[in-house]
DNA sequence: GCAAAAGTGTTTTTGTTACACCCATGT
DNA sequence: ACATGGGTGTAACAAAAACACTTTTGC
């Protein structure tokens, strides 16, 4: 079959913003770019979409190749298409974000992949338009997490209510009444209380919970309330 | 500067789903494709991103070139990147959706551009993955319009509350109590009541309203409630 | 004078917020 | 025994839902 003649072909890239939570603040995973231009500068995880590979597959492959991470929450965010965003050659980038349990990967990342976690509140200048991408991803997470249970993806399988509350307080840079918070999250029916306690955070210990995966998938797309006064939130 | 060698270059397209409201139901604007493959078959408005043109600019240009429509609400939806979505040659499509006042363009469209409005509930089979695009756009609109005042973009500058309610009822395929509906929308502070009445819909006539553009832009990103029981909505 | 659509208010129910004390345990 | 963080209930308030009648006017 004949081709579309006289049209510009461009490079198609995928970039991924990987979010993690260390129990205290949100972090993003960055890597030192391995090739020119901007070799050695901090960058998001990125790569080119290969022949016979979908954008989706490319995002998962790049995540795996650059960090060893796979099977995590990954969502398409936005396509950045300024003609000069990469000075080398025209490249459109389909930006994604991922949410991972940071503790699960911490060791492997710095040893095997030379990737580093940086606090979302202070991280280096990134190559090209990657800072814009992070800004957009941050807004998207805050937007989506107000109504959908995506932040659980940042926690281990077993977690405590105080841990969960810390996470929400950190993402929204606010403090939440713990009585109201536990009522709200338990009312979603997404959590199962375990008999085991986490004794690392206090003498008394806090009960572990885990996700009810049935309900989690069933209600993922519903509008659940996770934060107070969501109507005052901007994105 | 050297290029990225050994990488696949692909065509970058933009497709636009254009939504309109005829007072009774949601419609989408389709066009008969002008070139091969699939020449003569129904298609979304689409075209290739040109050299030195951003994806954003391309979306606006394509809208203008194919329909004469400009200056309307246009939002990036999703990038479709299956390697075989266009059998001719690998093409990634950055899909957008637009919301327009259908009455403003109706005549010009069929006379000058041979585009046609089809009801969202029954429209022909489209080329490539365009049906998937429409499906996703439909979900996105329902999702977004539950909390943000985007549906006003589908109405003329002057509109009545019954017209507005028809629109919401049509988008959500439901019926809404008119007393609660008017309370909800007037409580947003987005509407200004005019002295003039629309006498076409009834003998008594219904008051026209127009948007308070100040408040519209200020509150566009806030979470406003436009529909009953949004928590039961899926997207 | 009646049919057809517009407009309006109140009560009930539900959900959200504010708020303070006791508990368990390691030291 | 005390310091530290974990856990819980209730009352006040705000928001949403349910609900029915009157108004206008062209025919």
């Amino acid at each position: 079959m004949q081709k579309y003649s006289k049209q510009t072909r461009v490079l198609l890239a995928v970039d991924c913003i990987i979010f993690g939570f260390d129990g205290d603040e949100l972090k993003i995973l960055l890597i030192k770019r391995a090739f020119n231009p901007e070799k050695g500068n901090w960058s998001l995880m990125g790569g080119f979409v290969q022949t016979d590979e979908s954008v989706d597959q490319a995002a998962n492959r790049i995540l795996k190749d650059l960090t060893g991470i796979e099977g995590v929450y990954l969502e398409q965010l936005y396509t950045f298409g300024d003609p000069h965003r990469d000075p080398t050659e025209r490249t459109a980038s389909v930006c994604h974000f991922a949410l991972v349990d940071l503790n699960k990967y911490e060791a492997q990342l710095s040893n095997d992949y030379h990737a580093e976690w940086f606090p979302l509140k202070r991280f280096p200048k990134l190559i090209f338009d990657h800072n814009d991408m992070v800004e957009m991803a941050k807004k998207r997470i805050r937007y989506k997490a107000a109504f959908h249970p995506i932040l659980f993806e940042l926690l281990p399988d077993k977690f405590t209510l105080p841990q969960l509350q810390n996470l929400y307080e950190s993402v929204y840079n606010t403090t939440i009444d713990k009585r109201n918070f536990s009522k709200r999250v338990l009312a979603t029916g997404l959590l199962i209380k375990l008999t085991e306690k986490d004794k690392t955070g206090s003498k008394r210990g806090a009960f572990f919970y885990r996700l009810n995966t049935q309900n989690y998938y069933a209600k993922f797309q519903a509008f659940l309330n996770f934060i107070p006064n969501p109507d005052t939130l901007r994105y």
Side-chain angles (χ1 to χ4, degrees), chain A:
Chain A
M1 188 176 280
Q2 71 176 39
K3 303 278 178 181
Y4 299 108
S5 54
K6 292 187 252 167
Q7 296 297 339
T8 314
R9 272 77 179 164
V10 304
L11 285 166
L12 191 60
V14 163
D15 287 298
C16 294
I17 298 145
I18 304 170
F19 288 95
F21 181 63
D22 66 359
D24 184 46
E25 57 180 348
L26 271 193
K27 299 198 163 182
I28 56 173
L29 191 61
L30 301 176
I31 200 168
K32 279 196 172 150
R33 185 161 154 113
F35 52 94
N36 272 314
E38 302 252 19
K39 184 172 175 177
N41 293 333
W42 290 106
S43 161
L44 295 171
M45 308 297 142
F48 294 108
V49 178
Q50 302 298 302
T51 316
D52 255 346
E53 175 191 56
S54 74
V55 167
D56 233 50
Q57 288 164 344
N60 282 286
R61 175 183 55 77
I62 287 162
L63 213 60
K64 175 109 193 281
D65 286 356
L66 265 50
T67 67
I69 294 171
E70 60 186 322
V72 300
Y73 185 88
L74 182 62
E75 179 178 331
Q76 193 188 111
L77 176 66
Y78 194 79
T79 296
F80 289 76
D82 186 275
H84 308 296
R85 51 175 297 284
D86 183 331
T88 317
E89 182 179 349
R90 176 145 200 186
T91 307
S93 172
V94 186
C95 185
H96 292 66
F97 70 93
L99 304 175
V100 311
D101 172 9
L102 175 150
N103 306 295
K104 211 158 154 182
Y105 297 101
E106 197 158 25
Q108 133 193 5
L109 283 169
S110 53
N111 295 339
D112 303 349
Y113 295 96
H114 309 289
E116 266 185 54
W117 291 104
F118 287 85
L120 187 53
K121 296 213 165 140
R122 44 189 191 290
F123 61 91
K125 166 88 181 69
L126 306 178
I127 65 166
F128 306 157
D129 51 1
H130 286 197
N131 285 83
D132 298 336
M133 293 177 176
V134 173
E135 191 54 35
M136 190 181 281
K138 193 170 118 189
K139 286 179 183 163
R140 180 72 66 88
I141 284 187
R142 286 168 53 101
Y143 184 75
K144 188 152 189 176
F147 294 110
H148 305 290
I150 55 171
L151 297 187
F152 292 98
E153 303 286 344
L154 295 165
L155 294 174
D157 290 343
K158 294 189 298 187
F159 54 87
T160 67
L161 287 186
Q163 281 168 12
L164 184 65
Q165 183 168 346
N166 270 345
L167 172 55
Y168 275 90
E169 290 183 337
S170 165
V171 169
Y172 292 101
N173 194 31
T174 185
T175 57
I176 307 176
D177 182 277
K178 63 180 172 179
R179 291 163 289 194
N180 294 339
F181 182 77
S182 78
K183 259 182 290 179
R184 243 196 310 273
V185 301
L186 294 176
T188 62
L190 260 44
L191 297 193
I192 295 171
K193 189 177 190 170
L194 305 181
T195 49
E196 191 187 355
K197 278 186 165 186
D198 168 32
K199 309 278 286 183
T200 62
S202 72
K203 294 154 185 170
R204 181 180 178 177
F207 280 104
F208 277 119
Y209 287 78
R210 65 172 178 82
L211 274 179
N212 178 330
T213 40
Q214 291 276 315
N215 291 2
Y216 181 67
Y217 292 116
K219 295 187 178 177
F220 192 86
Q221 323 231 48
F223 289 93
L224 309 169
N225 265 20
F226 289 99
I227 57 163
N229 299 315
D231 50 311
T232 62
L233 181 66
R234 295 294 183 284
Y235 65 98

